[in-house]
Each structure stands twice: as structure tokens, then as C-alpha cells.
Amino acid sequence: MSVNQATAANDESAADVRPAEPVNAMPPEGKVGARPADRTDMVGKALGLLVLLGDEPRGASAAEISRRAELPFSTTYRLLGSLTRDGFVDYEPDGRRYHLGLRIFQLGQRVSNHHGFAGTAMPILRRVTEQTGEATILSVRDGLHHLTVSKVDGPQTFRVTSDPGHLGSLSTTAVGKALVAFAEDGEREKLLAEVPLEALTGKSITDREAFAAEIGKVRRQGYAVMDEENEAGMRAVAVPLLNDQGHAFASLATAVPVFRLDLDGLVAHVPVLQEAAAELAARLPQR
């Protein structure tokens, strides 16, 4: 919902706000129109603000976003105003906070549909959940993280928190390990050297050699396991979706709370996941 930006300004210090450049200001002598480099830079800054807001499920004030983005408040405020007017950002007057807008959701749905994650993948994920009784998660690699693109919750009351759009660790998750282990050879070596080894729990792998050994094990056995390395009280098993060259372009996982299933019971779901992964690999675009 778009809101008059004058209202939003009341929650920030007026001293932080610098006057905006005049709209009708003439370009410097010898130059015509706005500078393309400046426009490109502002687009990059606006996209950066959207990424920051994506990490703030409860929203953030303009001052908070300005500090996180390391941008002047006036620049942040003007960009947020433009993004709000176009529906990419919502402004909440009561809490004086900004959130991602529905326009982002619409674009995300189009991307999901383009890659077949909604129409093609969801029925297969639902079938896996019916067979396992647990949550099923489909992820792809996004740089040095994995991105959850689809998820079906299990019928049990205990809910997995990795929702679509979630960016997670490649080193502490089953889906992440599968993506690294079955990446193209050169890319895998690069990931082994560059993936952040985050200590999210006491069981997280933080040693580079230990991580390489774990990835080698995943390649040999054909599946990856997470045993409370990413989140205390949770386990998961994942298999890769392989393209025609045998490299992973996505990974499929079953996630369970530790009190409901031990490791042997979890690994017993691997054949179900592998069958579904082969079907998905045949149907989804192999990006």
C-alpha cells in the first residue's frame, strides 16, 4: 500500500535529510540529459535496498535501512519513496516501517512459474510429502547460498521454517551440501574454498578440510544429511537434481524434527527423494 512519504519522514531526524536535487536542474555544460552511470548506480542502490528489506521480515525504518545500506539518509529516503510509489515497497504508518511490497511477490511468482517450480514441481513435492509424512523442500544455488524455491509442509503440527525465498547456508544444510557436492568440477572446487563456514549450532562444520571431506562423502553416497548443523532440533536429507551432464541444478530434501525420526529412518526416505528428483530433473528447465 502506497503512503504519503511526508508521514514517514516524521519518524526520522530532520537534520539527517539533505535537500533533493532540483528536478529541473540543467545538466553541466557540454553534457545532455542525466548521466547514465549515475542512473545505473541509483538502480543498483535501489535493488540493494530491496535485498536488505528481504532480510527484515518485520520491516525496518528508513534510518535503519540507511545505516545498513551505508547510504545517506536523504538518498535512502528518496529511493524508498520511489519504490513505494511503484509497489515494490510498502510503508506501515503505525510502526513507521518499510516492508517488501506485493509487486515483489508478483515478480517472484512469475520467476517461479517460468522455471516450473509452481505448476510442475508442486504436485511432485506434495506426493513426496504424502509418502514421507514430512516437509519437502526444493532449493537452488544462489551464489554462496541456497535459495528455497518451493516447500510443502508435512501434516504434522511441527512446521519447518525454511519458506520459499529463504536464503540459507550451503555448508550447514542438506540441500546446500548436495548442491556443492554435485556442482561442476571447477565450480565445486571454488565453492569448497569460498563457501562461508558458519557456526549456526555446535554441530556446524567450521573447518575447511572437514567440509571438503563431508562433500566427498556426499558425492560417494549420493545424498546429503543435516543433523542439527543448521538448526537445533532439526534433521534433513537431500538429493541432487542432475542435468544431462550430471551436475546439480537443484536439490530436494525431506526435513524432520529430531524427536520424530532418527538418522536411519531419515535416510530410509532417500529412494523416494531420488525417484522424485529424477522426475523433476526431466520436467524442469535445467538452468
Side-chain angles (χ1 to χ4, degrees), residues 93-279:
D94 293 340
R96 295 177 176 177
R97 303 179 77 79
Y98 293 86
H99 306 260
L100 289 181
L102 284 176
R103 188 75 181 275
I104 296 293
F105 175 77
Q106 292 168 348
L107 293 175
Q109 288 297 101
R110 291 176 184 175
V111 172
S112 178
N113 289 333
H114 173 71
H115 288 285
F117 295 133
T120 302
M122 287 302 289
I124 298 174
L125 267 61
R126 292 191 188 102
R127 191 183 70 218
V128 173
T129 291
E130 289 173 2
Q131 292 176 284
T132 65
E134 303 292 349
T136 307
I137 300 167
L138 180 65
S139 290
V140 298
R141 186 165 67 85
D142 184 0
L144 296 179
H145 295 83
H146 79 81
L147 172 67
T148 301
V149 292
S150 294
K151 186 191 78 166
V152 174
D153 282 315
Q156 313 276 5
T157 55
F158 195 95
R159 184 175 178 275
V160 175
T161 57
S162 181
D163 290 319
H166 170 74
L167 276 176
S169 168
L170 288 176
S171 65
T172 63
T173 60
V175 288
K177 292 178 189 177
L179 289 167
V180 173
F182 292 92
E184 184 273 329
D185 292 349
E187 187 66 19
R188 182 172 65 256
E189 293 305 315
K190 182 180 178 183
L191 290 170
L192 287 173
E194 296 180 0
V195 164
L197 301 182
E198 306 164 277
L200 300 183
T201 75
K203 292 188 174 183
S204 301
I205 298 175
T206 57
D207 178 77
R208 192 68 59 182
E209 291 186 5
F211 180 56
E214 176 74 1
I215 294 304
K217 179 181 177 182
V218 172
R219 282 184 62 80
R220 291 191 300 273
Q221 64 191 14
Y223 63 87
V225 171
M226 182 278 293
D227 187 14
E228 297 191 90
E229 298 155 59
N230 188 69
E231 182 180 354
M234 292 299 299
R235 292 190 177 112
V237 62
V239 301
L241 275 64
L242 303 177
N243 61 20
D244 295 335
Q245 288 75 46
H247 304 138
F249 67 94
S251 60
L252 184 68
T254 290
V256 303
V258 295
F259 66 80
R260 200 151 62 216
L261 206 60
D262 60 19
L263 279 176
D264 289 339
L266 183 64
V267 172
H269 291 315
V270 167
V272 173
L273 289 171
Q274 289 175 328
E275 180 182 358
E279 186 176 352

Side-chain angles (χ1 to χ4, degrees), residues 69-112:
E70 297 182 350
L71 291 175
F73 175 81
S74 58
T75 300
T76 303
Y77 186 70
R78 286 198 300 271
L79 290 173
L80 287 172
S82 297
L83 292 168
T84 298
R85 284 191 296 273
D86 291 336
F88 293 104
V89 168
D90 283 341
Y91 177 69
E92 176 193 341
D94 293 340
R96 295 177 176 177
R97 303 179 77 79
Y98 293 86
H99 306 260
L100 289 181
L102 284 176
R103 188 75 181 275
I104 296 293
F105 175 77
Q106 292 168 348
L107 293 175
Q109 288 297 101
R110 291 176 184 175
V111 172
S112 178

